[in-house]
Amino acid sequence: MTAFRSHPLRTPLLGPIAVPGDKSISHRALIFGALSVGETTIINLLKGEDVLRTAAAVAAFGTQVEERSDGTWVVHGCGVGGFREPSTVLDLGNSGTGVRLLMGVAATLPGVTFFGGDRSLSGRPMGRVMTPLEKFGATFVSRDGLLPVAVLGAKAPVPVIHEMAVASAQVKSAILLAGLNAPGETTVVETVLTRDHTERMLRGFGADIRVEETEGARRITVAGQPELTGRAIHVPVDPSSAAFFVVAATLVEGSDITIERVSTNPLRAGLFDVLRDMGADIVESNAGDLNGEPVADLRVRAAALNGIDIPASRAPSMIDEYPILAVAAAYAKGNTVMRGLHELRVKESDRLTAIAEGLTACGVGVEITEDNLVVHGCDRHIPGAGQIATLHDHRIAMAFAVLGLAAREAITIDDDSMIGTSFPSFMGLMTGLGANLAAPT
Ligand code: S3P
């Protein structure tokens, strides 16, 4: 755990920025490759700690995972139903996606699987996946719905119809993955749409997956016990990681950056639309497709922002982006109201608290009313000089590193160690662009 200071940046951010691969898609590429027959090659896999934990976990289930010298990853899958009982505890570190998706796999795998995680993950609710997964016939042993968890996979799983109680792509994905190893059809009904990487990618691996839109809901049905086939995956750039540079370039005068092949999946990249609504200059070009995921190049130039009112309905498409959106709101003119943020309480930290305390420490006015956050914009004059408690949360650390670039006085951030879970090259990329993120003297 090393503290660092983020100093005001007097020079613009310029040029192309090599933001790494998408975390959600990287986890899924490894897991779906492992559940397929034959070889899956993965280009641009995110080599963050979270994803490496998932790689180790799928290897513990009996698949072969390796990184080639050219940086491509190769998974030799065992096929649906081909996983063996892991002989060790699967420690997913900080990764909610890794642990919840793999609990789905374990729920219909006969045998016992033990899951653990770090201090942050061990405080996050697992009941939201365990309760629906019990319907398949699995049994879970835990204390208070928290890790560590033992899963006794169903010996004779039954298919499930589940109406989502919480808007969570992790829960939806866990159920669909459990359904793969159950006979018949498993259906998930969402009334609030969440990121659909699982649906898009599973289809690419050969799953029979049907998505029906009914009034105000989406029904996703997967046929059980398919033979999935290994394939090549090119992971798009992570919009959640790109977000830190998009906001930094917006805030620092004279900036003009490009980031290529960013995922623009509408259920995922909502932040860019919200920033545009606030006045940001973000232009998309070269729109294309990477294994079923829409991508585009982004060009971002510095711009003044205005506060806006962001309804709860926009939250799922940018749920991980509120820390950096709050930083943009601090810089904007006028108030920004962000509604419906209850899920932020159960992320890698209680992000509502971490954001509010961090902004307050930097001289920015903030209010929390129920699950809404109001940020009183400083119209480009953020005092700074605060001490930030990241609560071991990578996105809080990176968001406040960006705030420091556009503040009047440097701020101190207590811990850089978690940044490696999702964005190991963040500090190097930022300092390469001229940022001073040195340890306090
Ligand atoms: C993710 C879904 C989101 C998000 C997380 C990644 C995924 O979590 O916060 O970082 O890959 O499915 P929830 O499903 O809990 O909202």
Side-chain angles (χ1 to χ4, degrees), residues 47-58:
K47 269 180 79 176
E49 286 157 30
D50 278 11
V51 174
L52 296 178
R53 297 278 182 167
T54 290
V58 297

Side-chain angles (χ1 to χ4, degrees), residues 11 35 51 80 90-91 136 179 201 226 255 314 322 327 339 360 370 423 425-426 433:
T11 52
L35 291 170
V51 174
V80 170
L90 304 185
D91 180 354
F136 287 94
M201 289 178 73
S255 296
R314 292 178 93 159
Y322 282 95
V327 168
R339 300 182 188 276
T360 305
E370 293 166 18
F423 199 166
S425 55
F426 174 81
L433 290 162

Side-chain angles (χ1 to χ4, degrees), residues 193 195 265-271 313-319 321:
L193 305 191
R195 64 187 71 188
N265 183 324
L267 291 175
R268 180 68 197 285
L271 174 76
S313 58
R314 292 178 93 159
S317 71
M318 51 183 217
I319 194 66
E321 278 60 86

Side-chain angles (χ1 to χ4, degrees), residues 22-25 27-28 96-98 100-101 124 128 166-173 194-195 197-198 240 268 316 319-320 343 346-348 351 394-395:
D22 186 83
K23 183 151 74 76
S24 289
I25 293 178
H27 284 293
R28 286 164 172 80
T97 305
R100 293 192 177 119
L101 267 59
R124 297 180 65 187
R128 55 177 57 199
V166 53
S168 164
Q170 293 177 353
V171 175
K172 171 177 68 175
S173 303
T194 61
R195 64 187 71 188
H197 305 306
T198 296
S240 304
R268 180 68 197 285
I319 194 66
D320 291 337
E343 276 294 299
V346 290
K347 293 295 178 188
E348 286 84 330
R351 282 189 178 153
H394 55 132
R395 296 199 200 280

Side-chain angles (χ1 to χ4, degrees), residues 76 83 129 135 143 161 191 201 256 272 276 281 328 337 339 342 348 364 370 403 439:
H76 298 274
F83 275 16
V129 274
K135 293 198 212 169
R143 190 177 298 123
I161 299 180
T191 47
M201 289 178 73
D256 186 350
F272 304 137
R276 281 193 200 98
D281 181 357
V337 185
R339 300 182 188 276
H342 48 275
E348 286 84 330
V364 182
E370 293 166 18
L403 181 138

